[in-house]
Amino acid sequence: MNLVPLPCRLLACLLPALLFSAPVLAGGLAPGYRNLPFAAPEPGSYELPVLGTAADGVVLDSDGRPLRLHALYDGRIVLLGFIYSTCDDVNGCPLATVVFQKLRNALKSEQEPAGRLRLLTLSFDPEHDTPEAMRRYGEGFRDGGVDWHFLTTRSEAELQPILEAYGQSVQKEYDAAGRSTGKYSHLLRVFLIDGQKRIRNVYTVSVLHPDLALADVKTLLQEVPAPVPGGGRAASPPLRAGDDKTGYASPAYETHALALDARRGRPADLFQRAQRPVLGLPKLPVPADDPLTPAKIALGRKLFYDRRLSLNQTFSCAMCHIPEQGFTSQEQATATGIEGRTVRRNAPTLYNVAYLTKLFHDGRESSLENQVWGPLLAANEMGNPSVGFVLDRIESLPDYRGLFEQAFGRGPGMETVGQALACYERVLVSGDSPFDRWRYGHESGALSEAARKGFELFTGKAGCAACHTVGDRHALFTDDALHNTGVGYRASMDKTPAARRVQVAPGVSFEVDAKTFAQVAGPVPGDLGRYEITQNPADRWKYRTPTLRNVALTAPYMHNGVFASLREVVEFYNRGGEPNENLDPLIRPLGLSAQEVDALVEFLSSLTGGDNQTLVSDAFAAPVGNGR
């Protein structure tokens, strides 16, 4: 961590705090216990410098589950404090806990900063501070609106690299006989970390105060992307749900999309990650004839991001299932294949696809091993003319030499290609959302009051849980069945408009009459849903119930991407769907008020997994296999 000098504006704000620290040096209580003798700086009236990158490391939560610090950062603003639970220096570890508690209490009525802030208390005494000890230590501090985690590590060996990375000096104290006293000599330090995992302030005993920390948190919340040379703004953080296209129709729109060479990531141990229980999810189902192995997962990952596996070597699986966009595509209502060929349905998310027994929107496949061949051979997706064509292509590529033999003991074939891709998709597991931490982790502060009200509606008045099921120990948020909501019926019954408004560039649109439009666009293909598979008239316009996990990341919605926002989806169901002769009997007008719609949307937004950025970062590290 490289520390840089504070800018003059920030120094001016902190100078009063430095001046009123004199009582600490004289042996009194630290400033954090008392009211500020001056007004805290106005949030946004100053800048916080970037002091370095916040390091990662493996920690244990209070249930003993291993987590990475970066997973806990999760795009939030974080206050990280190092303590040990038996510290008796009132101006030491207890001060950090008191300040965190005061900050939490101050934010009970402020939903915006409370929902974006996470408090982490990490012990540097793993021998005494076991997960159970940290759970007991934190029991009295879990009733606020701020997410607060009490952490430890397995051993001093795992702790030491974290302490060194953060410059946290800690030394055990020994008596005259050389026996440990159980006490530590250390300098109290609390780190403020922004949503891009950058350290923005370091508080010591002299300046650690809830009012000052709150002003800093609110200042970070007000930040906008910094200007970059040549105009425009800096690219959005790479580990985000997707590229925000709000305002795209405006002539002043500036893209924040990441260029390919700006996508930097770090490979993850996906095999080990898949072995760990995930809060809110059942045990990962793995078929007996396709067990997970590191070699198979790595090979499947390579295939998934390889553009050379399409007919013209330009298109990969990941170009419809974009990692930072929820492993779907937020850019298009329906997918687009090679050469811009139209696909009639929306690209579904691959998060937690391992748990599904029906695949594709119409449920026509039952195993991932078979499903992966559909896009590879579809003329409007990856365009390959045959299985043999794909296998010949793989065998011709020198960088695949020996990989199939290492993973399967034999070369590439229809079965082994399917199994490798399935193994990678199977480990795209995402749970430990704020909802999971509230319902299954029993963290009362993990979910906002509005989201809790939304869950009450979800399982009650709105009836959403009838299809998007929630269990006592885990929740997949899908019944894995097929239903007619009326969306498909409405699309089939829509008449061709006399003219269409076509946007050709940001802020530039034209009205195009139907005749001219037909000359450049193919006819809109029909879509009867499950009926196309079963030929049973009762199955017309039935589609698979999607999981709602990570739903805030996976717009647009429905099988045809007809709704751009969660609010539109909720309002559609509130109206009772679209009436038709096969409408599912579970679909009915809900009578929700505007406030209840807001609460449902808030709840749905709480279903975003807590460790998604690990998968996204791993994806960014994968080679894309450009054809030559």
Side-chain angles (χ1 to χ4, degrees):
M1 180 179 70
N2 296 320
L3 299 181
V4 298
L6 299 180
C8 294
R9 278 176 291 175
L10 180 58
L11 187 60
C13 293
L14 293 182
L15 187 57
L18 296 173
L19 293 175
F20 96 104
S21 66
V24 179
L25 303 178
L29 286 177
Y33 289 106
R34 308 190 302 274
N35 292 331
L36 279 176
F38 55 88
E42 185 68 23
S45 64
Y46 58 96
E47 296 178 4
L48 290 164
V50 176
L51 303 179
T53 301
D56 197 6
V58 178
V59 296
L60 301 178
D61 68 10
S62 55
D63 292 323
R65 295 174 303 179
L67 298 167
R68 301 203 70 86
L69 277 175
H70 278 186
L72 287 165
Y73 295 165
D74 188 26
R76 300 198 187 195
I77 295 171
V78 170
L79 280 168
L80 169 65
F82 293 92
I83 64 115
Y84 70 109
S85 65
T86 56
C87 178
D88 56 7
D89 179 2
V90 69
N91 289 331
C93 302
L95 171 62
T97 302
V98 167
V99 169
F100 278 16
Q101 184 181 16
K102 287 185 174 183
L103 185 62
R104 181 208 62 182
N105 291 339
L107 288 173
K108 282 185 177 180
S109 61
E110 298 191 50
Q111 185 173 332
E112 162 68 3
R116 302 267 307 269
L117 177 66
R118 176 168 286 166
L119 306 177
L120 301 181
T121 295
L122 174 57
S123 171
F124 49 74
D125 181 14
E127 183 178 354
H128 176 270
D129 288 340
T130 63
E132 172 63 18
M134 292 305 288
R135 184 187 64 78
R136 292 196 302 269
Y137 183 80
E139 279 178 349
F141 309 112
R142 297 182 183 273
D143 62 342
V146 177
D147 194 15
W148 192 350
H149 293 253
F150 295 84
L151 310 168
T152 187
T153 53
R154 292 191 187 94
S155 64
E156 291 185 5
E158 288 196 1
L159 171 68
Q160 196 57 39
I162 299 175
L163 296 178
E164 291 176 359
Y166 284 91
Q168 177 69 61
S169 176
V170 175
Q171 291 184 338
K172 284 186 177 180
E173 294 184 356
Y174 297 90
D175 61 19
R179 294 184 297 266
S180 173
T181 64
K183 296 185 177 183
Y184 290 80
S185 175
H186 70 98
L187 294 175
L188 179 67
R189 304 181 85 193
V190 172
F191 298 83
L192 176 65
I193 300 165
D194 68 17
Q196 299 179 54
K197 304 183 182 70
R198 302 177 302 181
I199 297 172
R200 304 299 294 274
N201 209 346
V202 182
Y203 307 99
T204 61
V205 61
S206 299
V207 295
L208 180 59
H209 193 282
D211 293 351
L212 298 176
L214 181 56
D216 287 351
V217 169
K218 291 183 175 180
T219 293
L220 292 185
L221 289 174
Q222 294 180 27
E223 284 189 347
V224 295
V228 295
R233 296 281 179 182
S236 299
L239 303 187
R240 57 174 292 174
D243 300 322
D244 183 6
K245 291 297 186 288
T246 303
Y248 178 79
S250 166
Y253 171 76
E254 296 173 351
T255 182
H256 292 180
L258 286 170
L260 187 62
D261 59 3
R263 294 160 65 93
R264 295 285 184 262
R266 178 188 299 178
D269 189 337
L270 300 180
F271 177 76
Q272 288 299 326
R273 187 180 183 278
Q275 310 308 307
R276 299 194 294 265
V278 179
L279 186 65
L281 293 175
K283 183 179 179 181
L284 186 69
V286 178
D289 59 352
D290 191 16
L292 296 175
T293 69
K296 286 162 66 176
I297 294 170
L299 177 56
R301 172 180 176 269
K302 180 176 175 65
L303 291 166
F304 187 86
Y305 295 96
D306 198 334
R307 298 181 179 191
R308 298 170 296 179
L309 268 61
S310 63
L311 175 64
N312 60 4
Q313 304 189 57
T314 64
F315 208 84
S316 71
C317 305
M319 293 176 74
C320 281
H321 301 282
I322 303 169
E324 69 272 29
Q325 296 187 17
F327 282 92
T328 178
S329 174
Q330 294 184 341
E331 311 301 315
Q332 300 162 318
T334 59
T336 300
I338 61 167
E339 299 177 339
R341 299 175 189 176
T342 299
V343 180
R344 64 177 176 162
R345 291 176 182 165
N346 178 259
T349 180
L350 295 183
Y351 277 132
N352 298 323
V353 71
Y355 295 98
L356 301 180
T357 62
K358 296 180 179 65
L359 301 164
F360 294 109
H361 288 290
D362 52 25
R364 65 183 182 273
E365 283 288 3
S366 58
S367 79
L368 283 172
E369 286 74 7
N370 293 335
Q371 180 274 332
V372 297
W373 281 100
L376 284 166
L377 300 180
N380 61 348
E381 294 189 52
M382 297 178 76
N384 293 294
S386 68
V387 172
F389 184 90
V390 177
L391 301 181
D392 289 345
R393 172 69 55 76
I394 293 172
E395 288 185 332
S396 73
L397 299 172
D399 50 311
Y400 280 95
R401 198 162 294 146
L403 296 183
F404 279 86
E405 289 76 8
Q406 178 185 349
F408 296 100
R410 60 187 189 277
M414 184 175 186
E415 182 181 39
T416 54
V417 169
Q419 288 182 331
L421 278 165
C423 280
Y424 173 68
E425 293 182 359
R426 195 164 277 127
V427 299
L428 300 178
V429 177
S430 175
D432 192 30
S433 68
F435 167 77
D436 296 316
R437 294 192 286 273
W438 172 73
R439 179 172 173 86
Y440 303 115
H442 310 295
E443 297 181 20
S444 59
L447 209 60
S448 70
E449 183 179 349
R452 293 195 294 270
K453 175 62 176 176
F455 180 61
E456 180 183 333
L457 291 163
F458 186 90
T459 55
K461 179 179 178 180
C464 312
C467 297
H468 300 282
T469 52
V470 179
D472 292 333
R473 292 186 295 174
H474 48 71
L476 294 177
F477 289 98
T478 175
D479 58 4
D480 213 13
L482 298 105
H483 301 273
N484 176 339
T485 66
V487 168
Y489 169 83
R490 185 170 70 177
S492 296
M493 296 299 113
D494 274 352
K495 294 181 179 179
T496 302
R500 298 193 187 199
R501 190 165 185 82
V502 178
Q503 183 171 294
V504 296
V508 181
S509 300
F510 297 99
E511 290 288 340
V512 180
D513 64 84
K515 182 178 179 180
T516 303
F517 192 88
Q519 292 175 352
V520 296
V524 178
D527 193 339
L528 294 174
R530 184 66 174 174
Y531 170 80
E532 297 176 7
I533 311 305
T534 65
Q535 299 296 296
N536 181 349
D539 286 338
R540 284 175 295 167
W541 307 300
K542 282 186 178 181
Y543 300 92
R544 179 176 55 82
T545 306
T547 177
L548 297 183
R549 287 191 171 275
N550 298 292
V551 69
L553 310 184
T554 58
Y557 303 105
M558 304 300 190
H559 72 279
N560 56 359
V562 69
F563 298 132
S565 69
L566 285 174
R567 176 170 296 282
E568 290 180 53
V569 176
V570 175
E571 288 173 345
F572 170 78
Y573 284 117
N574 196 28
R575 295 191 298 270
E578 185 73 22
N580 67 88
E581 61 184 284
N582 287 337
L583 184 68
D584 195 289
L586 292 171
I587 306 298
R588 55 179 174 75
L590 304 177
L592 301 177
S593 67
Q595 291 75 21
E596 289 173 326
V597 170
D598 289 340
L600 266 176
V601 172
E602 180 79 7
F603 164 67
L604 294 171
S605 299
S606 76
L607 302 180
T608 302
D611 192 26
N612 292 347
Q613 69 272 23
T614 296
L615 295 173
V616 176
S617 179
D618 174 80
F620 281 6
V624 298
N626 282 319
R628 293 198 175 108

